[in-house]
Amino acid sequence: MTAPTTKAVDLAAALAQYRAGLSGLTDAGLERRAAEVAALPGWYASELRRMVDIERESRRTAPNQPPTRSRALRVAAGAAVAGVPAAVLSGRALAEYADQVPQVLLYSPAVAVGLVAAVVGGSWVARWVDDHRHPLAEDVDEADLNPLGKELLARVRAARQARGEVC
């Protein structure tokens, strides 16, 4: 048995580095990479295409996980930090024009938390209303489609095949 040549080792290292870089890409970045390697000829390019396809498939089959707690805490902290100056400025403006506002309310953390809660609650309500106005699509049998739906489906399939996706 012969020892691997440096060329084979270099190619293996390059492929491993390429594979490691794919996991850090966004979906749009992954699609851009797929388009870049789609037209390349040769064995190496076919390996790159195979890696991109594997990464696409793993993303499609991976369960959608809710955001982690640390991300939720970062969002809440960012909203609180953004809400405090707004609460202070609105309290000062209100105090300038109306002397009935107690001084405690101007710098109260409860005001900032209330504003953040109102914004977050408002976004949740807006999302809930939008989800109920526009429900998710349901799977439909291709035979049940009208001619316009069949034409649209044919266009989508043709566009996916042009991009190199498996239909």
Side-chain angles (χ1 to χ4, degrees):
M1 177 171 224
T2 62
T5 64
T6 58
K7 184 176 181 182
V9 173
D10 290 342
L11 283 176
L15 287 171
Q17 183 180 6
Y18 188 81
R19 182 182 309 120
L22 289 177
S23 62
L25 292 174
T26 62
D27 289 338
L30 187 63
E31 293 303 318
R32 202 170 21 258
R33 281 280 173 90
E36 289 171 357
V37 299
L40 296 176
W43 171 85
Y44 187 72
S46 67
E47 287 298 311
L48 297 178
R49 283 191 293 273
R50 189 178 62 80
M51 285 183 201
V52 169
D53 289 340
I54 290 170
E55 181 65 25
R56 277 180 175 165
E57 190 61 32
S58 70
R59 289 185 186 191
R60 282 188 194 127
T61 59
N64 291 336
Q65 298 176 354
T68 60
R69 182 175 287 183
S70 63
R71 181 176 177 191
L73 288 176
R74 284 184 281 161
V75 168
V81 167
V84 169
V88 169
L89 291 174
S90 63
R92 284 185 181 170
L94 191 59
E96 286 180 18
Y97 297 109
D99 292 333
Q100 291 98 8
V101 177
Q103 191 70 18
V104 174
L105 288 180
L106 296 179
Y107 300 104
S108 173
V111 173
V113 170
L115 286 173
V116 170
V119 168
V120 170
S123 69
W124 285 347
V125 168
R127 184 177 295 139
W128 182 83
V129 168
D130 188 50
D131 287 346
H132 282 74
R133 285 182 61 208
H134 308 288
L136 297 174
E138 297 177 8
D139 287 337
V140 177
D141 220 9
E142 188 175 343
D144 295 336
L145 293 176
N146 61 12
L148 183 62
K150 289 179 182 179
E151 180 185 340
L152 179 63
L153 183 62
R155 285 185 194 170
V156 169
R157 284 182 176 158
R160 285 183 176 172
Q161 283 182 338
R163 289 192 305 259
E165 292 183 24
V166 178
C167 294

